[in-house]
C-alpha cells in the first residue's frame, strides 16, 4: 500500500481525501542543464549561463543569429517560415538564451514559447478589419511624451522603449523595439530631460496617486535610473503607489540573481516607500508554466526576502495558455513562488498576431473554470482593454456580446461616460457564415450598427 493510500485510509471520512501526487506538478521546477540541448550552448557551465550579462549579450536578434544558435535542430523550411513571419511582423525579434533553451525544438510550431516570441509566416492570419496599430489609443491620452493619463487617479509612465525581449503580442508595438519592415515607431528614449516633463505633469495633477513605471521594460534601465525615478516620484506628496513593470522574472530570471546593483536599487526604493507609507511593487508578465524554472524560483525568493511584492499580468493567447489545465498550472506555480496572479488579459487588438487572439467567449468560459480553484487573492481577474480608449473592463461586464458575429460592446462610465467601445473576436474563430459576413462591407456595417443598437437598449 502506498503512503498516499495509507494516509487516505487513516483520514476521517468527513475530510477531503489527499489529492493525487501527480496533481502537484506546480511544485516541480526544472533544474537540469536544459540549455545544453542548444548546439551553441552545449558547452556552457551553470555559472556562465545563469549570468544576466551572458543572457543580454547573447540574445537572438536576427534570423542569422537564430540559425547560428539552433543550427540543424530544425529543418531549413522552419527558418524560411520564420523569415516570412519576420517580414510581416510589427515587432522586431529579441529572445533571451533562457527562453531559447526552454523551447521544444523538436516541435517548435506548437511550442508555447516559440509562439509568443518568434513568428512563423505559415501560421499568421490577416488582421481583423477593425484593428489599428495603437488600438488602445494610448497616444491620444498622452499629455506629455511618454505619459498616458487615462484613468482618474493613475498614469502610465513609459520610461524607455526597449526591452530585454520583444513579445509578439505587445500592445505597444507602435513604440517598443526597433522599426521593422512593417512599422516606423514612435520612440521614447531613456532621457532624463523627457522624464522631467513627465514628473512636472504628475506634480501638477494632485489626483495622480498611482504611477505605473513601464516602457519598454524597466529591466533595461540602469540601477541609478531605477533609483532616480523612484526617489523623484516618492518625493511627490500625492503619489502613494508605484509599480515597476518588468518581464525580467519571466524571460531572464538571471537578472534577479546576478544583477545585484539593479535589485539593490529597487530594494532601496521599496524600503524608502515603506518608511513613507507608500507602496512600491513589481509587476511582471508570466504567460506559461514552462517559463518558470528553478532559477525563477530562486530569483523570486530573493525578492520575497527583500519584502518586494510581485504581481503578474498574463495575456491569454491561443495555443499558449487558452486551456484550463495550463492556466491552473500557471496560477498555482506562480502562487507557489509568491507571485500574485493579478490579471488575465484577453489579447489586445494588435497587428500581426491575429492567430494568437482568443474570443471573448473563450475567456468567459475559462474564467468560470479557474475561479474557486485557489484563494481569491491568487485568482486572476479576467479583463480586456477595449478598442478606442475605453480602458480595462471586466470580461463579464459587456453591454452586448454576440458569439456568432464576434462583436462585443462595452461602456466605460468612469473613463469615457456615455460612449460605447468595441472588442472583436478573431474572424477565423467564427462559424463560416458569420465569418463571410465580415468580408462584405455592407454586411459588416450593419453588424456593427446592430451591435451598438442592442448595447444601447435600456
Ligand atoms: S516586455 Fe512588455 S513592453 Fe516589452 S515587448 Fe514584451 S509586452 Fe511589450
Amino acid at each position: 500500500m502506498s503512503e498516499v493510500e495509507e494516509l487516505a485510509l487513516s483520514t476521517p471520512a468527513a475530510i477531503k481525501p489527499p489529492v493525487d501526487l501527480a496533481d502537484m506538478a506546480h511544485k516541480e521546477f526544472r533544474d537540469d542543464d536544459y540549455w545544453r540541448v542548444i548546439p551553441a550552448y552545449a558547452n556552457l557551465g551553470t555559472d556562465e549561463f545563469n549570468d544576466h550579462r551572458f543572457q543580454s549579450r547573447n540574445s537572438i536578434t536576427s534570423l542569422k543569429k537564430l540559425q547560428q544558435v539552433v543550427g540543424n535542430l530544425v529543418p531549413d523550411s522552419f527558418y524560411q517560415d520564420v523569415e516570412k513571419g519576420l517580414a510581416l511582423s510589427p515587432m522586431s525579434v529579441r529572445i533571451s538564451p533562457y527562453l531559447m533553451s526552454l523551447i521544444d525544438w523538436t516541435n517548435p510550431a506548437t511550442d508555447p514559447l516559440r509562439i509568443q516570441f518568434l513568428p512563423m509566416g505559415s501560421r499568421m492570419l490577416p488582421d481583423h478589419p477593425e484593428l489599428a496599430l495603437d488600438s488602445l489609443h494610448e497616444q491620444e491620452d498622452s499629455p506629455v511624451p511618454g505619459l498616458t493619463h487615462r484613468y482618474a487617479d493613475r498614469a502610465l509612465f513609459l520610461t524607455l522603449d526597449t526591452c530585454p525581449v520583444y513579445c509578439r503580442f505587445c500592445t505597444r508595438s507602435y513604440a517598443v523595439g526597433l522599426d521593422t519592415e512593417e512599422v516606423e515607431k514612435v520612440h521614447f528614449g531613456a532621457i532624463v530631460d523627457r522624464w522631467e516633463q513627465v514628473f512636472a505633469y504628475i506634480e501638477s495633477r494632485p489626483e495622480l496617486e498611482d504611477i505605473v513605471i513601464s516602457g519598454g521594460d524597466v529591466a533595461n534601465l540602469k540601477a541609478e535610473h531605477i533609483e532616480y525615478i523612484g526617489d523623484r516620484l516618492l518625493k511627490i506628496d500625492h503619489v502613494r503607489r508605484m509599480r515597476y513593470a518588468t518581464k525580467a522574472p519571466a524571460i531572464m530570471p538571471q537578472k534577479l540573481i546576478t544583477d545585484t546593483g539593479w535589485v539593490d536599487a529597487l530594494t532601496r526604493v521599496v524600503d524608502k516607500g515603506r518608511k513613507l507609507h507608500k507602496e512600491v511593487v513589481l509587476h511582471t508578465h508570466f504567460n506559461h508554466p514552462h517559463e518558470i524554472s528553478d532559477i525563477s524560483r530562486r530569483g523570486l525568493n530573493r525578492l520575497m526576502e527583500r519584502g518586494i511584492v510581485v504581481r503578474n499580468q498574463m495575456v491569454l493567447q491561443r495555443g499558449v495558455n487558452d486551456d484550463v489545465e495550463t492556466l491552473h498550472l500557471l496560477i498555482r506555480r506562480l502562487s507557489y513562488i509568491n507571485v500574485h496572479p493579478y490579471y488575465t488579459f484577453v489579447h489586445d487588438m494588435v497587428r500581426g498576431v491575429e492567430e494568437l487572439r482568443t474570443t471573448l467567449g473563450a475567456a468567459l468560459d475559462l474564467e468560470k473554470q479557474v475561479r474557486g480553484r485557489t484563494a481569491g487573492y491568487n485568482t486572476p481577474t479576467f479583463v480586456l482593454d477595449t478598442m478606442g480608449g475605453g480602458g480595462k473592463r471586466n470580461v463579464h461586464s459587456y453591454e452586448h456580446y454576440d458569439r456568432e458575429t464576434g462583436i462585443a460592446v462595452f461602456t466605460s462610465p468612469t473613463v469615457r461616460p456615455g460612449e460605447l467601445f468595441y472588442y472583436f473576436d478573431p474572424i477565423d474563430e467564427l462559424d463560416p457564415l458569420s465569418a463571410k459576413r465580415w468580408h462584405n462591407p455592407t454586411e459588416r456595417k450593419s453588424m456593427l450598427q446592430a451591435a451598438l443598437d442592442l448595447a444601447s437598449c435600456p
Side-chain angles (χ1 to χ4, degrees), residues 17-241:
V19 298
D20 191 331
L21 286 182
D23 194 36
M24 295 285 143
H26 65 287
K27 295 184 185 183
E28 288 159 19
F29 299 91
R30 278 195 83 167
D31 64 352
D32 57 325
D33 292 354
Y34 50 87
W35 57 89
R36 289 181 188 269
V37 73
I38 306 280
Y41 310 151
N43 299 317
L44 283 180
T46 307
D47 289 348
E48 195 176 357
F49 185 78
N50 281 334
D51 188 315
H52 75 283
R53 284 156 293 209
F54 170 82
Q55 293 288 326
S56 295
R57 284 182 202 135
N58 292 283
S59 289
I60 305 302
T61 52
S62 66
L63 179 64
K64 193 171 159 209
K65 204 150 179 201
L66 178 74
Q67 285 169 312
Q68 284 166 357
V69 168
V70 180
N72 60 9
L73 283 185
V74 290
D76 281 348
S77 57
F78 174 78
Y79 293 120
Q80 285 153 14
D81 209 338
V82 168
E83 187 172 23
K84 206 169 126 201
L86 289 174
L88 295 169
S89 178
M91 286 304 281
S92 37
V93 67
R94 188 171 181 91
I95 311 176
S96 60
Y98 176 70
L99 288 179
M100 289 292 296
S101 307
L102 293 171
I103 291 173
D104 175 6
W105 292 102
T106 62
N107 196 3
T110 57
D111 183 88
L113 305 194
R114 192 291 300 162
I115 293 173
Q116 295 180 70
F117 299 97
L118 201 57
M120 288 174 70
S122 64
R123 304 221 147 208
M124 292 168 81
L125 296 169
D127 289 336
H128 193 283
E130 294 294 317
L131 184 147
L133 186 58
D134 176 16
S135 68
L136 307 186
H137 289 205
E138 288 191 336
Q139 286 176 275
E140 282 180 21
D141 288 324
S142 177
V144 291
L147 186 88
T148 299
H149 183 187
R150 169 170 301 155
Y151 303 100
D153 66 344
R154 57 201 187 277
L156 169 69
F157 178 9
L158 306 178
T159 57
L160 77 172
D161 58 13
T162 63
C163 306
V165 299
Y166 293 127
C167 318
R168 292 186 58 214
F169 51 83
C170 184
T171 300
R172 294 191 195 110
S173 54
Y174 67 88
V176 167
L178 304 171
D179 294 346
T180 67
E181 279 181 43
E182 280 289 295
V183 181
E184 198 173 319
K185 311 208 169 189
V186 182
H187 287 292
F188 302 118
I191 302 165
V192 175
D193 285 351
R194 180 176 67 80
W195 295 345
E196 284 305 327
Q197 290 180 48
V198 171
F199 298 136
Y201 178 83
I202 296 170
E203 278 164 341
S204 75
R205 301 298 295 252
E207 72 271 34
L208 282 179
E209 296 191 354
D210 186 348
I211 307 297
V212 179
I213 307 161
S214 183
D217 186 321
V218 299
N220 278 11
L221 288 176
K222 293 178 186 158
E224 57 263 37
H225 285 156
I226 289 285
E227 204 160 358
Y228 175 80
I229 290 170
D231 287 351
R232 192 69 181 73
L233 290 172
L234 284 175
K235 276 192 195 128
I236 301 174
D237 202 39
H238 53 263
V239 172
R240 304 289 302 163
R241 299 173 292 281

Side-chain angles (χ1 to χ4, degrees), residues 195-457:
W195 295 345
E196 284 305 327
Q197 290 180 48
V198 171
F199 298 136
Y201 178 83
I202 296 170
E203 278 164 341
S204 75
R205 301 298 295 252
E207 72 271 34
L208 282 179
E209 296 191 354
D210 186 348
I211 307 297
V212 179
I213 307 161
S214 183
D217 186 321
V218 299
N220 278 11
L221 288 176
K222 293 178 186 158
E224 57 263 37
H225 285 156
I226 289 285
E227 204 160 358
Y228 175 80
I229 290 170
D231 287 351
R232 192 69 181 73
L233 290 172
L234 284 175
K235 276 192 195 128
I236 301 174
D237 202 39
H238 53 263
V239 172
R240 304 289 302 163
R241 299 173 292 281
M242 290 151 52
R243 321 176 221 171
Y244 284 92
T246 174
K247 205 167 161 59
I251 51 84
M252 199 183 284
Q254 290 79 3
K255 180 146 184 104
L256 305 178
I257 304 289
T258 58
D259 196 348
T260 306
W262 191 91
V263 177
D264 285 350
L266 179 68
T267 307
R268 281 195 292 274
V269 179
V270 172
D271 288 346
K272 281 181 215 163
R274 195 178 300 116
K275 288 193 182 103
L276 292 167
H277 311 125
K278 298 187 177 196
E279 183 188 68
V280 182
V281 303
L282 198 74
H283 274 207
T284 194
H285 203 186
F286 287 93
N287 286 320
H288 193 277
H290 288 180
E291 292 156 6
I292 308 172
S293 69
D294 191 61
I295 188 96
S296 334
R297 187 183 58 80
R298 283 167 47 207
L300 268 308
N301 280 352
R302 193 165 189 213
L303 298 187
M304 180 74 179
E305 285 158 18
R306 289 162 178 241
I308 300 176
V309 170
V310 185
R311 300 187 192 124
N312 191 62
Q313 306 191 166
M314 63 165 288
V315 177
L316 205 56
Q317 294 163 82
R318 234 193 293 176
V320 173
N321 52 18
D322 64 335
D323 63 277
V324 71
E325 290 75 26
T326 304
L327 272 182
H328 274 160
L329 185 55
L330 176 62
I331 290 167
R332 294 174 78 201
R333 198 168 274 173
L334 286 173
S335 306
Y336 199 77
I337 56 172
N338 301 303
V339 176
H340 292 187
Y342 171 41
Y343 271 144
T344 296
F345 278 94
V346 176
H347 203 302
D348 288 337
M349 302 277 298
V350 180
R351 269 175 67 177
V353 283
E354 196 65 0
E355 89 274 19
L356 296 190
R357 295 202 303 117
T358 64
T359 61
L360 170 59
L364 294 169
D365 298 343
L366 284 167
E367 201 274 347
K368 277 187 200 160
Q369 298 190 64
V370 162
R371 187 152 297 279
R373 178 66 181 79
T374 187
Y377 64 86
N378 270 337
T379 303
T381 303
F382 281 56
V383 292
L384 64 71
D385 242 315
T386 53
M387 293 186 69
K392 270 187 257 339
R393 309 305 298 156
N394 186 304
V395 288
H396 293 288
S397 70
Y398 55 82
E399 304 300 325
H400 166 76
Y401 176 45
D402 182 337
R403 290 190 189 226
E404 275 186 24
T405 61
I407 303 176
V409 183
F410 290 81
T411 53
S412 184
T414 56
V415 177
R416 303 253 291 267
E419 293 183 45
L420 294 171
F421 300 90
Y422 286 118
Y423 184 82
F424 301 103
D425 289 344
I427 290 175
D428 71 297
E429 289 281 74
L430 306 178
D431 71 67
L433 271 181
S434 301
K436 208 169 155 200
R437 293 182 72 194
W438 276 98
H439 300 296
N440 176 329
T442 315
E443 284 278 312
R444 187 192 309 171
K445 210 168 149 197
S446 98
M447 285 193 294
L448 291 170
Q449 189 55 51
L452 288 186
D453 292 344
L454 285 165
S456 310
C457 282

